[in-house]
């Protein structure tokens, strides 16, 4: 951490010098300077592969405006909110990142987090400082929507009374419902539900259970797992003994989804396995072993996989492939989207400071996004409702259909 | 399926998991028995053994070897990891512990914690090595898939009850090792020397026993058992990662304390108890209570039998 703090201050000092050196000579607008976007995403552990493509998406968006808007230079800093001790996002590191962003005078935008639990830590810190935050990946409803989480949510994240947190992905109260509906249309009559006991995983399984019961799927079990366990053989036996048609796991690759899939198969469970978007990354297939997933695994995602996008999304995909020579992963498009929301806000802001940009972000309306036009609603949520279902074939994700239509 | 079958299945799973825990626990208990050190690095030595096994598996292309070749491959990994972990554990003693033999137990303990961190970071470094063996995009901290070269078929046909070759392997490797170890400690010269050093190092050295060499041998044997355990663990769970030593080490240490630290049969009993309690709690209670139950039992046993299930009451140190 010392290193990054040092780099951080050197970087800050340099840009101050740079501005100081330029000001007298260049006839830029009088107010011009540097505006910084900070992203806080997990870069240690198996999430890193996906984060790489999200960061690429952010960089692509900044490059598209030439790295500057109205004479203001757009700087970008890529922070890691995971620690090797956890191999996953770490609340202490996330808090550190948010505090560093607050203290950085140039920082006007915070992109993150990937995990909903991490957002819970960062939002109030940034809220007190009036710093706008856009998440490319958080789907736990309680972060923005009243009535879906704890009684004090989401007000507890807004100590200043204003809304500073927005997200460009549809939430789990939609995803969990669509997942249950999809399970029904896959002829599942009995489901066993597992979750990783994290904010996101537990949240989405609660929604899934409620909807499953409503549409007449029998829930034969509902359990929280120990995401650090060496294996889940005993649990697999328990699951098999209730003979479900489908097992739903609410969690992420980092909370051991791969091992759960492995042990269900080696424990002799033959039915379907369904997971939410937290497992929609190549690292999940690698951790589980393709043979354990092929043809019987279903993944829901609040959006479209990049190869199915049209319009602005297709432009993004082509530009991404041209620049980075690889296919973007699912969340890359949302990394790109979050950055573009900020860039548009910077262009439209009346004053180029935190308050001005926050106001411009919350006024985002009919935004020409990768999934078509959408707006932020009063809670800070996207109005986009596009959901898709995927399966795994030959070790690759394969798009099946758009859910909810 | 019947309730009875579910119970038997959980017993099989519990015993398999317990055997692996027991094999690691022996490494803790042997070292503690002889120099009263809780070797915190043991779990991480175990973890490095698994990395060696995966590297061997990948570098030699064992996935393509065919069934009989893979039996040879498993034997090769077992021996390779055992020698490696034994040697590593011996080196830790030589480099980090021997010089502190005469100082307070606390400095020895701190040194062991330091070794644990060093080994864990070696694992992190190893996991990021640019080798085709590791499929996960070389993300150093990501869990690695350990290919299932043991077929995951049910030896009992299509019924509910399952016994896989993996389960058999666990028993086929651990039981002979435990029997052999007991025989060695009870019947051989080295075993007698180990028991003598454990009882009184000064008296043992006066009798002409090379104390340091005996302690070194103990570290080697404990480490080698950890090496065997690492290969079985990897083949059984099919996932390894640089943090696996922490969790496995904690379970094994708990098993050693439960059984009575310093006692070999105690470590085995403790391991099997923990394995079975975990399985039964997963089945008949809820998974989320499992850790609470395991440590609750540990607390109860330590209250009523402070020396563990089979621990002797002759000493009171550390």
């Amino acid at each position: 951490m010392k290193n990054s703090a040092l780099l951080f201050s050197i970087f800050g000092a340099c840009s101050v010098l740079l501005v100081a050196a330029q000001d007298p000579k260049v006839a830029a607008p009088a107010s011009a300077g540097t505006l910084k976007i900070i992203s806080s995403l997990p870069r240690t552990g198996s999430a890193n592969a996906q984060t790489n493509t999200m960061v690429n998406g952010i960089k692509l968006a900044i490059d598209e405006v030439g790295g500057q808007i109205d004479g203001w230079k757009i700087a970008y800093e890529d922070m890691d909110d995971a620690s090797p001790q956890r191999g996953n996002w770490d609340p202490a590191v996330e808090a550190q990142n948010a505090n560093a962003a607050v203290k950085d005078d140039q920082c006007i935008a915070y992109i993150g987090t990937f995990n909903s639990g991490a957002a819970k830590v960062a939002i109030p810190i940034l809220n007190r400082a009036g710093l706008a935050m856009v998440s490319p990946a958080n789907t736990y409803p309680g972060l923005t929507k009243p009535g879906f989480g704890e009684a004090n949510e989401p007000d507890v994240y807004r100590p200043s009374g204003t809304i500073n947190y927005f997200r460009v992905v549809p939430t789990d109260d939609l995803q969990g419902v669509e997942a249950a509906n999809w399970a029904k249309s896959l002829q599942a009559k009995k489901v066993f539900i597992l979750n990783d006991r994290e904010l996101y995983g537990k949240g989405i399984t609660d929604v899934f259970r409620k909807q499953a019961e409503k549409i007449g799927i029998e829930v034969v079990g509902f359990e929280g797992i120990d995401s650090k366990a060496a294996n889940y053989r005993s649990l697999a036996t328990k699951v098999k003994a209730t003979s479900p048609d489908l097992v739903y796991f609410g969690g992420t690759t980092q909370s051991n989804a791969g091992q759960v899939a492995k042990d269900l198969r080696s424990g002799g469970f033959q039915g379907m396995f369904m997971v939410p978007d937290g497992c929609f990354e190549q690292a999940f297939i690698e951790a589980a072993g393709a043979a354990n997933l092929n043809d019987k695994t279903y993944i829901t995602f609040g959006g479209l996989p990049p190869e199915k996008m049209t319009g602005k999304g297709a432009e993004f995909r082509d530009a991404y492939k041209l620049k980075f020579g690889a296919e973007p992963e699912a969340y890359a498009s949302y990394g790109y989207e979050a950055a573009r929301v900020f860039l548009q806000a910077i262009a439209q802001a009346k004053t180029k400071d935190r308050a001005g940009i926050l106001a411009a972000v919350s006024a985002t309306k009919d935004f020409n996004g990768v999934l078509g036009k959408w707006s932020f609603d009063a809670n800070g949520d996207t109005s986009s409702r596009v959901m898709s279902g995927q399966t795994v074939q030959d070790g690759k994700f394969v798009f099946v259909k758009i859910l909810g239509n | 399926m019947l309730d009875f079958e579910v119970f038997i299945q959980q017993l099989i799973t519990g015993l398999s998991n317990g055997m692996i825990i027991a094999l690691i626990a022996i490494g803790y208990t042997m070292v503690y028995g002889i120099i009263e050190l809780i070797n915190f690095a043991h779990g991480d030595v175990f973890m490095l053994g698994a990395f060696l096994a995966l590297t061997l598996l990948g570098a030699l292309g064992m996935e393509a070897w065919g069934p009989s070749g893979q039996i040879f491959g498993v034997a090769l990994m077992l021996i390779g990891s055992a020698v490696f972990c034994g040697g590593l554990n011996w080196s830790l003693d030589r480099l980090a512990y021997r010089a502190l033999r005469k100082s307070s137990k606390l400095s020895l303990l701190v040194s062991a914690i330091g070794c644990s961190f060093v080994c864990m970071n070696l694992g992190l470094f190893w996991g990021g090595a640019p080798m085709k063996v590791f499929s996960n995009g070389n993300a150093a901290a990501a869990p690695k898939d350990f290919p299932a070269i043991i077929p995951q078929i049910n030896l009992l046909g299509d019924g509910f009850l399952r016994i896989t070759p993996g389960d058999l392997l666990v028993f086929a490797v651990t039981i002979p090792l435990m029997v052999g170890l007991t025989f060695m400690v009870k019947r051989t010269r080295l075993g007698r020397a180990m028991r003598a050093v454990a009882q009184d190092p000064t008296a043992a050295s006066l009798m002409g026993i090379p104390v340091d060499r005996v302690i070194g041998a103990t570290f080697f044997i404990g480490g080698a058992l950890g090496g065997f355990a690492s290969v079985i663990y990897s083949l059984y769970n099919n996932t390894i990662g640089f943090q696996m030593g922490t969790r496995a080490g904690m379970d094994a240490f708990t098993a050693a304390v439960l059984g009575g630290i310093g006692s070999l049969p105690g470590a085995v009993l403790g391991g099997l108890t923990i394995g079975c309690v975990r399985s039964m709690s997963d089945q008949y209670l809820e998974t989320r209570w499992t850790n609470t139950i395991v440590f609750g039992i540990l607390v109860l046993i330590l209250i009523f039998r402070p020396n563990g299930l089979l621990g002797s009451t002759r000493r009171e140190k550390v």
Side-chain angles (χ1 to χ4, degrees):
Chain A
M1 269 305 94
K2 261 185 189 156
N3 263 343
S4 73
L6 187 68
L7 275 179
F8 202 60
S9 45
I10 291 175
F11 187 69
C14 287
S15 36
V16 168
L17 283 176
L18 215 68
V19 172
Q22 275 176 353
D23 261 347
K25 294 170 199 159
V26 185
S31 56
T34 300
L35 299 174
K36 190 193 267 182
I37 299 175
I38 287 179
S39 73
S40 176
L41 300 163
R43 280 192 142 311
T44 305
S46 53
N48 189 38
Q50 168 129 295
T51 298
N52 264 333
T53 80
M54 292 166 75
V55 167
N56 283 346
I58 297 170
K59 287 180 178 161
L60 182 64
I62 296 173
D63 279 1
E64 279 178 1
V65 297
Q68 58 163 353
I69 291 170
D70 298 343
W72 290 79
K73 187 176 173 305
I74 308 296
Y76 169 55
E77 184 174 344
D78 166 16
M79 288 185 177
D80 181 359
D81 73 354
S83 65
Q85 290 77 31
R86 284 175 54 110
N88 196 351
W89 71 274
D90 185 325
V93 182
E94 181 59 47
Q96 227 164 29
N97 290 353
N99 282 317
V102 168
K103 286 193 197 103
D104 185 342
D105 293 337
Q106 292 175 333
C107 176
I108 43 77
Y110 194 83
I111 297 179
T113 59
F114 185 76
N115 302 83
S116 297
K120 217 172 165 173
V121 176
I123 302 170
I125 298 174
L126 302 176
N127 186 278
R128 285 192 196 95
L131 186 54
M133 166 172 179
V134 174
S135 168
N138 301 151
T139 51
Y140 171 68
L143 294 173
T144 49
K145 296 186 180 179
F148 284 93
E150 304 295 320
N152 60 356
E153 285 177 334
D155 291 336
V156 68
Y157 306 121
R158 298 163 179 167
S160 74
T162 56
I163 293 178
N164 73 315
Y165 171 77
F166 309 87
R167 47 183 157 191
V168 293
V169 280
T171 49
D172 292 336
D173 52 315
L174 307 163
Q175 193 186 168
V177 167
E178 289 308 335
N181 291 343
W182 195 21
K184 173 107 179 165
S185 72
L186 290 166
Q187 313 293 333
K189 293 184 177 62
K190 287 161 87 175
V191 295
F192 201 108
I193 303 174
L194 302 172
N195 68 63
D196 62 2
R197 292 193 279 159
E198 280 194 27
L199 190 61
Y200 161 76
K202 172 75 166 54
I204 195 162
T205 48
D206 283 341
V207 176
F208 184 95
R209 166 151 81 170
K210 217 166 150 190
Q211 177 70 7
E213 280 163 352
K214 197 171 134 195
I215 58 178
I217 302 176
E218 188 189 347
V219 176
V220 291
F222 185 89
E223 292 218 22
I225 65 159
D226 168 10
S227 62
K228 296 271 181 223
N231 64 45
Y232 302 99
R233 295 284 177 104
S234 306
L235 189 59
T237 300
K238 185 176 192 176
V239 167
K240 201 173 67 153
T242 60
S243 53
D245 305 305
L246 180 142
V247 173
Y248 185 79
F249 174 71
T252 64
T253 316
Q254 292 70 42
S255 60
N256 236 352
Q259 190 69 39
V260 171
K262 256 179 198 169
D263 287 329
L264 283 173
R265 291 293 178 241
S266 57
F269 171 70
Q270 305 284 347
M272 297 179 277
F273 185 56
M274 187 182 274
V275 290
D277 60 327
C279 301
F280 192 30
E281 53 176 340
Q282 202 58 35
F284 168 59
I285 298 180
E286 281 163 9
N292 294 317
L293 298 180
N294 284 344
D295 307 322
K296 279 185 173 175
T297 307
Y298 301 89
I299 304 101
T300 56
F301 173 54
L304 287 176
E307 72 271 16
K308 291 290 158 193
M309 290 179 175
T310 53
K312 184 69 199 161
E315 282 172 34
F316 156 74
R317 185 183 64 234
D318 296 339
Y320 186 100
K321 278 204 282 203
L322 193 68
K323 189 168 162 67
F324 302 106
E327 288 283 343
E329 284 218 34
Y331 275 106
S333 58
Y334 283 130
Y336 174 77
E337 193 94 320
R340 279 180 62 237
V341 166
F342 272 125
L343 295 171
Q344 181 186 300
I346 292 170
Q348 292 174 351
K350 290 188 186 73
T351 53
K352 313 286 185 202
D353 56 13
R354 287 181 183 175
I357 285 157
L358 175 57
V361 169
S362 62
T364 302
K365 206 169 162 32
D366 295 328
F367 186 83
N368 184 21
V370 290
L371 294 171
K373 285 208 187 313
W374 57 264
S375 311
F376 279 135
D377 67 15
N379 292 325
D381 280 314
T382 172
S383 59
S384 175
R385 292 286 177 272
V386 182
M387 294 267 163
S388 62
Q390 277 65 227
T391 183
V392 176
Q393 281 172 12
D394 295 326
K396 295 261 176 291
F397 290 111
V398 177
F399 172 80
V400 179
K401 63 174 190 168
I402 292 187
L403 301 177
N405 300 321
Chain B
M1 125 258 5
L2 305 160
D3 287 348
F4 181 65
E5 282 181 316
V6 173
F7 178 79
I8 296 290
Q9 182 74 67
Q10 293 295 13
L11 203 59
I12 294 170
T13 309
L15 289 176
S16 297
N17 277 324
M19 281 288 186
I20 298 173
I21 296 173
L23 209 49
I24 310 170
I26 291 175
Y28 279 100
T29 225
M30 280 179 80
V31 166
Y32 185 85
I34 204 156
I35 56 168
E36 278 149 36
L37 162 72
I38 295 160
N39 182 13
F40 276 105
H42 188 68
D44 301 288
V45 169
F46 155 84
M47 174 272 295
L48 289 175
F51 273 84
L52 182 82
L54 180 58
T55 308
L56 280 177
L57 188 148
L60 301 178
M62 281 182 205
E63 277 179 276
W65 278 9
S68 54
Q70 282 172 348
I71 293 176
F72 172 72
V74 170
L76 192 70
M77 285 192 287
L78 282 170
I79 294 166
S81 289
V83 171
F84 172 74
C85 289
L88 185 63
N89 219 23
W90 179 86
S91 321
L92 287 182
D93 173 52
R94 185 72 193 81
L95 296 172
Y97 304 151
R98 190 186 286 187
L100 296 171
R101 211 85 90 202
K102 300 267 183 295
S103 16
S104 82
K105 294 277 175 227
L106 213 55
S107 27
L108 203 56
L109 203 66
V110 171
S111 182
I113 294 173
C115 289
S116 163
F117 280 117
V118 170
C119 289
M120 196 199 264
N121 280 284
L122 280 177
L124 186 60
F125 184 69
W126 197 338
M131 279 186 282
K132 60 176 180 180
V133 190
F134 302 142
S135 57
N136 293 15
N138 289 330
K144 319 284 175 208
D145 180 43
F146 196 99
I149 61 170
I150 305 239
Q152 300 197 330
I153 48 166
N154 186 0
L155 298 172
L156 300 181
D158 289 334
F160 177 81
L161 219 53
R162 270 175 82 85
I163 293 184
T164 59
D167 290 314
L168 288 189
L169 179 84
V170 173
F171 292 100
V173 174
T174 49
I175 292 175
L177 279 175
M178 287 167 185
V179 172
L181 184 73
T182 312
F183 176 79
M184 195 216 70
V185 172
K186 287 236 151 65
R187 295 290 159 85
T188 63
R189 269 177 77 86
L190 177 61
R192 205 168 338 134
M194 282 160 79
R195 282 181 289 139
V197 173
Q199 274 184 13
D200 191 335
T202 322
S205 83
L206 288 173
M207 295 296 130
I209 295 173
V211 172
D212 276 337
R213 212 183 302 159
V214 171
I215 294 175
T218 310
F219 269 92
F220 184 90
I221 295 168
L225 291 176
F228 283 116
S230 73
V231 177
I232 303 170
Y233 175 102
S234 308
L235 288 168
Y236 190 70
N237 294 328
N238 302 116
T239 308
I240 67 167
F242 81 102
Q243 287 171 309
M244 67 190 248
T246 315
R247 188 52 179 270
M250 196 169 79
D251 278 348
F253 176 63
T254 312
V257 173
L258 188 66
I261 192 149
S263 151
L264 291 182
V268 177
L269 182 68
L272 295 181
T273 309
I274 290 186
C276 291
V277 167
R278 278 194 178 282
S279 279
M280 296 307 162
S281 159
D282 279 357
Q283 175 67 39
Y284 297 108
L285 291 162
E286 272 189 57
T287 314
R288 61 196 174 109
W289 292 109
T290 299
N291 280 333
T292 318
I293 303 283
V294 168
F295 290 105
I297 289 178
L298 180 72
V299 168
L300 282 181
I301 287 186
L302 290 185
I303 289 173
F304 294 108
R305 281 192 67 90
N307 292 297
L309 292 171
L310 301 182
S312 58
T313 46
R314 75 190 146 88
R315 266 182 295 168
E316 192 68 37
K317 289 189 191 169
V318 174

